Amino acid sequence: MAVPPLYSPIETAIHPCHAEINAQTADWAETFEIGSVDLRRRLVRHEIGVFAARILPHGREEVVRVVADFVMWLFGVDDGYCEEGPLGQRPGDLAGTMHRLLRVAQNPEAPLLLDDPLANGLRDLRARVDLYGTDSQAARWVANLREYALSVVWEASHRRANTVPALSDYTLMRLYDGATTVIFPLLEMGHGYELPLSERDDKAVRAAEEMASFVITWDNDILSDHKERSADGYHLNVLRVLEEEGLGPQEAMARAIAQRDRVLGAFMHLTDHLRTVGSQQMRQYTAGLRSFVRGSLDWGVTSVRYTTPEDPADLPTAFAARPTDDSCEPLGIDAVSWWWDVVPAGRPLRAARTLGLSGM
Ligand code: 3E9
Ligand code: MG
Ligand code: MG
Ligand code: MG
Ligand code: MG
Ligand code: MG
């Protein structure tokens, strides 16, 4: 099915060193032997370094490389363990495997999994996170990796039972299983700042982060649908979730695009507001979230991971001039309807609401 042009109000940008970073992350995957030989041969062609260069277009080069190698590592887990390997159908064993890897991330000195390529890759990443980040950013990186692990265990239980979650559950799962939250601390590290605690734990900031995760993972679902449907075995994607709820394929595509357009509008409005009322670091952080959203879209429409030239996906080569849905009302998705409580008033059709920004 053809994917129509998607809307983005965020400007495209890319780090000037993208080509070197892309070559280096392929070398890193070889050095640490990430994934099977077959998986690695595919991963090194996916321009993962270019993706990192789009996530942090103005960031410190060393940290862009950490992002690139970490995304490579994540695909080693997500493709190698969860989607293509037997662990993806064994939630209990996957939970144990992820816990051991998490211990390595948390305590790289622990004599665990010493001959395991993914564990050794993670030890290398942890050392670099320590070098470029603060203790609290490193701790948050580990904590967010734990929430990713919990969500892929949930996925595995659906994969084993061959069931499709309802939309609200799927949304909740997708806020974590796209590994977007694990990248968030790296956005700060990329520019060498830390959000003040009062802002870090503000509900409105979490809403903005979750909205970014939503748009990134919905875009991924829309753009990876061809790849995922063509692969053998179970696949999980918002388009499948909506079809399970009774929509036809075209209707599901239109609905998913409308949902991401509506959330993207709310995200832009909320981050505009946070930039106005927040600290200098908040302005950097919201810019980081925006680059992550736009970078994921730009990478998603161009990477051979999704265009699959051997069996071409019908992906858009242009962008839409306007959103298909600019409503300011909450989406009918229970897990996330609270987001609209913290989006400030001032958009058309919006009633005034209390702003969840404490002490600002
Ligand atoms: C997971 O979903 C990944 C997408 C959200 C792509 C964007 C990548 C990142 C935010 C960082 C890396 C995250 C990983 C590898 C989980 P899915 O549908 O399994 O990705 P796919 O590429 O197979 O469509
Ligand atoms: Mg996945
Ligand atoms: Mg996948
Ligand atoms: Mg440090
Ligand atoms: Mg968080
Ligand atoms: Mg996908």
Side-chain angles (χ1 to χ4, degrees), residues 192-238:
Y193 68 91
E194 211 167 25
L195 265 189
L197 269 187
S198 58
E199 293 185 324
R200 153 75 22 238
D201 293 329
D202 192 281
K203 197 174 170 182
V205 176
R206 183 157 59 83
E209 291 173 336
E210 292 189 5
M211 289 173 180
S213 292
F214 183 101
V215 177
I216 292 166
T217 54
W218 255 236
D219 284 353
N220 173 271
D221 283 353
I222 291 162
L223 298 169
S224 68
D225 184 62
H226 175 79
K227 158 179 100 71
E228 291 169 4
R229 272 185 218 258
S230 308
D232 294 335
Y234 180 84
H235 72 101
L236 190 52
N237 183 305
V238 68

Side-chain angles (χ1 to χ4, degrees), residues 140 144 147 181 184 200 206 209:
R140 199 150 47 86
N144 293 4
E147 66 193 16
T181 69
F184 293 155
R200 153 75 22 238
R206 183 157 59 83
E209 291 173 336

Side-chain angles (χ1 to χ4, degrees), residues 78-79 83 227-228 305:
D78 213 62
D79 290 349
E83 289 173 24
K227 158 179 100 71
E228 291 169 4
R305 182 172 173 85

Side-chain angles (χ1 to χ4, degrees), residues 51 55 70-71 74-75 78-79 83 148 155 174 177-180 183 216-217 220-221 224 227-228 236 292 296 299 305-306:
F51 180 31
I55 293 173
F70 183 41
V71 172
L74 283 164
F75 280 123
D78 213 62
D79 290 349
E83 289 173 24
Y148 164 76
E155 260 187 7
R174 205 74 178 113
D177 76 6
T180 46
I183 302 295
I216 292 166
T217 54
N220 173 271
D221 283 353
S224 68
K227 158 179 100 71
E228 291 169 4
L236 190 52
F292 190 11
S296 300
W299 180 68
R305 182 172 173 85
Y306 308 111

Side-chain angles (χ1 to χ4, degrees), residues 136-323:
S136 98
Q137 286 166 337
R140 199 150 47 86
W141 177 69
V142 175
N144 293 4
L145 197 55
R146 200 175 298 283
E147 66 193 16
Y148 164 76
L150 182 60
S151 70
V152 294
V153 166
W154 192 9
E155 260 187 7
S157 76
H158 280 290
R159 194 176 286 109
R160 181 173 65 181
N162 196 24
T163 48
V164 177
L167 181 60
S168 183
D169 271 359
Y170 179 72
T171 303
L172 200 47
M173 185 186 296
R174 205 74 178 113
L175 293 181
Y176 307 103
D177 76 6
T180 46
T181 69
V182 217
I183 302 295
F184 293 155
L186 296 163
L187 300 179
E188 294 179 32
M189 278 178 231
H191 291 270
Y193 68 91
E194 211 167 25
L195 265 189
L197 269 187
S198 58
E199 293 185 324
R200 153 75 22 238
D201 293 329
D202 192 281
K203 197 174 170 182
V205 176
R206 183 157 59 83
E209 291 173 336
E210 292 189 5
M211 289 173 180
S213 292
F214 183 101
V215 177
I216 292 166
T217 54
W218 255 236
D219 284 353
N220 173 271
D221 283 353
I222 291 162
L223 298 169
S224 68
D225 184 62
H226 175 79
K227 158 179 100 71
E228 291 169 4
R229 272 185 218 258
S230 308
D232 294 335
Y234 180 84
H235 72 101
L236 190 52
N237 183 305
V238 68
L239 299 175
R240 182 164 183 212
V241 169
L242 292 171
E243 286 169 28
E244 197 74 13
E245 299 200 342
L247 274 62
Q250 300 285 353
E251 290 171 313
M253 178 67 75
R255 178 76 59 87
I257 292 172
Q259 289 170 336
R260 62 79 78 186
D261 283 348
R262 192 187 295 199
V263 174
L264 182 54
F267 168 77
M268 294 306 290
H269 191 58
L270 180 56
T271 48
D272 272 343
H273 172 74
L274 290 169
R275 294 169 72 79
T276 307
V277 299
S279 62
Q280 168 59 23
Q281 295 93 313
M282 176 66 79
R283 282 187 281 287
Q284 292 181 281
Y285 192 61
T286 50
L289 291 176
R290 287 182 178 189
S291 296
F292 190 11
V293 170
R294 177 64 200 239
S296 300
L297 175 58
D298 285 338
W299 180 68
V301 292
T302 52
S303 173
V304 297
R305 182 172 173 85
Y306 308 111
T307 60
T308 62
E310 63 288 357
D311 168 26
D314 199 348
L315 301 187
T317 52
F319 292 90
R322 59 191 67 81

